[in-house]
Amino acid sequence: MARSLPDSLSAALNSLTRRPALALSLTDRVPHYALYQTPGTADSWHDACLASDGSIVRVRLARASSFLAGSFQVQRISDPAQASQWASSAWITLPGAAGVMNQEGGCAIANCDGLLRAFAQRGSGGNQLWLWTSSDNGQSWSGPSSVLSPPSNAFIKGIACAGTNDVFFAYDVLGGEAIGCSFFNGSSWSSLQSWTLLPLSASGGLAATCSGPLYTLIYSDNYSLASCTFNAANGQWSYGAAIAPATTTAIMRLAPRLSYANGLYTLSCIEADSGNLTGSVYSYPRLRQSADLQHWSNGMILHCLPCSYGAVVLPVVMPPSGSAGPRSYVVTMPAIASAPLPPSTTSQQDLDLSSAVLAYRRLERPGRPARLEVLLDNSSGSYSALVSSPNHAGPLAPGAMLTLSEGYYAGTPAVSTLVKTGSYVLSQLHLLRSPQENRLLLVASDRTRQLDLLARYQNSYSGQTLAFLISEVCARAGLFSIALPPTPQLSQTIPSFVLHAGRSYRAALDELCNTYSLVYFLDQDEVLRFCELNSSQAPLWSYEPEIELLSLGSSDERANHIIVSGKPPAGGPPQALTTAEAYDDAHLQQVGCERLRFHVDQKLTTTSQCAQKAAFLLAQEQRHASRHQIVVPLNPALQLFDVLALSDSLAPLGSGQRLTCRISSLTAYYEAQQGRAEMQLDLEGL
């Protein structure tokens, strides 16, 4: 697991004349949404998409006194900075769509390879699903034309288009709502293809996306969000993930909408509480994210956008005109929120703090976010103006990302050779000033701090593998880049698992990892890596005379007899158990007493699973029996859980001990004025 170092850096690390080098940069990649436009348009079903020229094109079902007499309208925004383009007066009724639309049926618009398609259901005089098209980025429209008529004069309850000449919609059937679709073959639309799954009790809208022939739909039954897939190649429908299961009928989840940018899907939906059960009244969007459409984050609310009929997230890299620049928009009917798009990851767009670093401390511990504390020289207040405040947006702000690279000067002439050792989210800023000095202290943690957030809603899982559940909990916390080891334990089925509301994601993740003794850490590229500790792992680094401080210790106060009990067998006698045991016979004989450790885990259902867990727990006890600490020169290759070989000097200078051990925690120190660049490594047995 140790980071690989360039040959020149390895040579410099082994040189007696080495000089440390570092690089520290800061960039803010958080979308800081704030109210951008407030047209105050009456709320109604709506949708939006990005035209090929970068303009935003919106559609809405303007409401009328009769739900079958709505109007279908369009709006084009080429300069988002112009309030007049968002205004209620800027809506234009599409041809044939005045006073005849089903205003509760939902609507959709999508860019289909440059051709804009807008869909809504006719209300008066028929129930056809109508289509309008624009080939000039929404400036002019033709239509309506009919896609199809839902059977039995059914009303539509939500429409979505994935942008591939397709349309999906929910419609009334006996016993609830079904989902159907139609596809354009270049000259006409296909007949209705209805899903083969059970009817929904109700429909609160749907969203669609596709990858090749596989379409993923996210739908609402008013209280829960779930997904299904449709394979256009064979016409097969399949159930997908439960995104937000309903735990009560207090909270409604409506109008799902999907967007995709920078490798992540964003799902918006409206969460609403009438207050009938809870006394709390609200209706606002929640934005969730996913990398695979299977595992979704808990997300973030936008309390500043109260609305009832959906919110559409649109990243706009460059609008056709105006000064808005690259921004991301969350579009609702009453108001629009916006945030500058984060810059791409290039050093030219980062704030370089390297030359101002006076000292730093980097701490890595299992089960906690890695922490970075940096002291900057702020002479003459050079960085004070960059500190963000409520009235001043500066790059030095909570949520900004610090990237640390460490290394040494190498070669002739000497140049700095660096490797990235961590990325950290800025959480604290302290301005330190006295008559003699002016400094800035930055405190940051890596992204695993998101595991310490609390789950908003309860989620229950049955019959899922350990790999699935670990991926699910990480995604709920907003951590999508994970690496799981190819071990048999990951494919073990967990019969039942509950992610409780109000519980931290870390507590849930630790419970899962402890089932089969997995450990995890976040690497320098923000990949959450899981691993199973192996006593046969070869050392990745060795230390001999360069150890500056050495402390070797051991303890016999550990368990040597492990008893693990799982879920009792079904159908057996009342006293039946599912158990397994593990023994450390050598330690039993050495200390002359039996030290028991009992462990109960209802996720274990067989004696073989209990035996695996007992072996893992015994290995953990044996590792913890050895506790060592060394201080060595700063080594950017080392990470948590790396295996080291230690060879102390022979007597009388040293102890002559030779050990193989594992890093259980590390602290890196750098102090420029004292010439200090070293690491303190806490070690345990292998």
Side-chain angles (χ1 to χ4, degrees):
M1 292 184 291
R3 303 181 187 94
S4 59
L5 301 182
D7 292 341
S8 57
L9 184 52
S10 296
L13 187 57
N14 292 316
S15 170
L16 296 177
T17 59
R18 57 181 173 261
R19 288 191 298 133
L22 66 89
L24 182 69
S25 61
L26 179 140
T27 187
D28 190 355
R29 308 193 189 284
V30 177
H32 302 284
Y33 285 111
L35 283 178
Y36 187 71
Q37 301 288 354
T38 53
T41 307
D43 208 358
S44 64
W45 290 105
H46 66 103
D47 197 10
C49 76
L50 199 63
S52 299
D53 67 346
S55 58
I56 298 170
V57 182
R58 308 169 67 195
V59 291
R60 71 158 182 166
L61 284 164
R63 303 180 69 81
S65 56
S66 169
F67 80 97
L68 297 179
S71 297
F72 195 34
Q73 299 182 327
V74 66
Q75 184 183 73
R76 180 174 182 270
I77 297 96
S78 59
D79 181 1
Q82 295 296 320
S84 60
Q85 295 192 14
W86 299 93
S88 301
S89 59
W91 290 97
I92 299 172
T93 302
L94 287 164
V100 295
M101 306 303 296
N102 174 11
Q103 68 184 22
E104 303 295 349
C107 56
I109 185 172
N111 186 338
C112 301
D113 294 326
L115 182 68
L116 300 185
R117 285 195 163 98
F119 302 88
Q121 186 185 29
R122 183 178 181 179
S124 300
N127 76 325
Q128 301 100 319
L129 175 59
W130 269 351
L131 163 70
W132 288 260
T133 59
S134 172
S135 58
D136 56 5
N137 300 309
Q139 298 182 68
S140 62
W141 292 83
S142 61
S145 61
S146 177
V147 174
L148 53 79
S149 294
S152 304
N153 295 316
F155 289 123
I156 287 177
K157 301 291 182 63
I159 306 173
C161 177
T164 58
N165 301 317
D166 60 90
V167 63
F168 292 82
F169 51 93
Y171 62 99
D172 292 334
V173 295
L174 184 64
E177 311 292 332
I179 294 178
C181 57
S182 178
F183 298 88
F184 188 70
N185 62 14
S187 59
S188 62
W189 289 87
S190 67
S191 59
L192 173 66
Q193 298 184 59
S194 185
W195 76 349
T196 54
L197 308 178
L198 295 175
L200 301 173
S201 58
S203 174
L206 72 160
T209 187
C210 75
S211 177
L214 188 67
Y215 289 81
T216 299
L217 305 179
I218 295 174
Y219 55 87
S220 161
D221 64 0
N222 285 345
Y223 297 103
S224 66
L225 293 176
S227 67
C228 68
T229 60
F230 174 72
N231 192 326
N234 56 22
Q236 183 176 354
W237 295 84
S238 303
Y239 284 113
I243 299 169
T247 54
T248 71
T249 57
I251 300 173
M252 300 187 73
R253 298 180 175 93
L254 304 168
R257 290 287 186 265
L258 270 174
S259 64
Y260 181 80
N262 301 321
L264 289 177
Y265 294 92
T266 296
L267 168 65
S268 66
C269 82
I270 299 302
E271 290 187 356
D273 189 343
S274 65
N276 291 336
L277 296 178
T278 66
S280 178
V281 180
Y282 59 80
S283 183
Y284 48 63
R286 178 178 292 273
L287 307 184
R288 305 171 186 265
Q289 290 187 310
S290 174
D292 58 6
L293 295 171
Q294 185 176 24
H295 304 287
W296 290 89
S297 71
N298 182 63
M300 178 187 73
I301 64 171
L302 289 177
H303 190 257
C304 63
L305 291 179
C307 60
S308 300
Y309 291 92
V312 183
V313 179
L314 285 176
V316 181
V317 176
M318 187 54 64
S321 61
S323 59
R327 304 185 73 86
S328 178
Y329 299 89
V330 182
V331 179
T332 70
M333 293 305 300
I336 295 88
S338 176
L341 280 176
S344 59
T345 309
T346 61
S347 58
Q348 289 80 8
Q349 293 170 313
D350 292 345
L351 176 63
D352 189 355
L353 304 174
S354 308
S355 61
V357 176
L358 297 174
Y360 70 79
R361 183 174 66 157
R362 172 167 63 91
L363 303 92
E364 297 181 15
R365 304 286 188 271
R368 284 179 283 175
R371 181 180 173 96
L372 179 68
E373 301 168 358
V374 184
L375 188 64
L376 299 179
D377 182 6
N378 191 32
S379 299
S380 303
S382 54
Y383 289 104
S384 299
L386 302 180
V387 175
S388 183
S389 67
N391 299 319
H392 169 68
L396 283 167
M401 178 67 67
L402 286 170
T403 301
L404 176 66
S405 298
E406 297 171 329
Y408 288 91
Y409 285 92
T412 305
V415 295
S416 61
T417 304
L418 304 169
V419 294
K420 184 165 70 171
T421 52
S423 297
Y424 308 88
V425 182
L426 186 58
S427 58
Q428 299 178 37
L429 299 96
H430 302 273
L431 290 166
L432 310 176
R433 199 193 69 78
S434 71
Q436 293 77 32
E437 62 184 21
N438 193 342
R439 297 179 178 181
L440 180 63
L441 176 64
L442 307 180
V443 180
S445 303
D446 71 19
R447 284 201 185 277
T448 58
R449 72 177 194 161
Q450 294 170 203
L451 291 170
D452 296 315
L453 300 174
L454 303 182
R456 173 66 175 90
Y457 301 110
Q458 178 170 303
N459 290 269
S460 300
Y461 308 90
S462 299
Q464 295 290 356
T465 64
L466 181 61
F468 176 93
L469 292 172
I470 287 175
S471 301
E472 176 75 2
V473 172
C474 292
R476 292 284 171 184
L479 300 172
F480 304 107
S481 297
I482 70 172
L484 296 171
T487 60
Q489 287 75 26
L490 271 299
S491 61
Q492 296 281 359
T493 298
I494 305 297
S496 178
F497 182 76
V498 179
L499 175 59
H500 294 279
R503 190 187 191 194
S504 74
Y505 298 107
R506 189 181 300 278
L509 183 60
D510 287 346
E511 179 185 343
L512 291 169
C513 289
N514 290 339
T515 306
Y516 293 108
S517 293
L518 294 172
V519 296
Y520 59 89
F521 68 97
L522 194 73
D523 72 7
Q524 67 279 358
D525 296 318
E526 295 193 286
V527 176
L528 190 58
R529 297 193 175 274
F530 293 79
C531 55
E532 177 188 315
L533 301 184
N534 189 338
S535 61
S536 62
Q537 185 176 345
L540 298 169
W541 204 273
S542 61
Y543 283 103
E544 295 183 357
E546 66 267 42
I547 299 176
E548 299 175 8
L549 179 65
L550 173 66
S551 171
L552 304 178
S554 62
S555 171
D556 76 335
E557 295 182 357
R558 60 182 176 87
N560 50 33
H561 182 189
I562 310 294
I563 302 175
V564 173
S565 298
K567 187 176 182 179
Q575 69 273 18
L577 297 174
T578 302
T579 66
E581 302 181 37
Y583 306 85
D584 187 341
D585 292 316
H587 188 257
L588 274 164
Q589 298 302 320
Q590 182 184 42
V591 301
C593 68
E594 178 187 20
R595 289 201 173 107
L596 288 171
R597 178 177 176 181
F598 292 95
H599 182 83
V600 179
D601 191 338
Q602 293 290 312
K603 296 189 292 299
L604 307 176
T605 59
T606 66
T607 55
S608 62
Q609 291 177 342
C610 291
Q612 288 180 347
K613 183 61 176 288
F616 290 140
L617 291 176
L618 183 59
Q620 183 183 83
E621 293 286 339
Q622 292 169 335
R623 287 195 301 271
H624 291 176
S626 299
R627 289 294 182 181
H628 318 301
Q629 188 179 91
I630 62 173
V631 177
V632 295
L634 182 65
N635 186 344
L638 299 181
Q639 302 182 91
L640 280 180
F641 309 117
D642 284 348
V643 176
L644 305 180
L646 303 182
S647 297
D648 195 14
S649 303
L650 297 176
L653 296 178
S655 64
Q657 294 290 313
R658 293 180 177 271
L659 303 170
T660 302
C661 42
R662 190 185 303 276
I663 298 176
S664 59
S665 66
L666 66 85
T667 306
Y669 298 94
Y670 173 85
E671 296 180 15
Q673 293 176 330
Q674 286 75 29
R676 184 187 186 191
E678 62 187 24
M679 301 181 82
Q680 176 181 299
L681 304 178
D682 295 317
L683 308 170
E684 64 182 14
L686 190 57

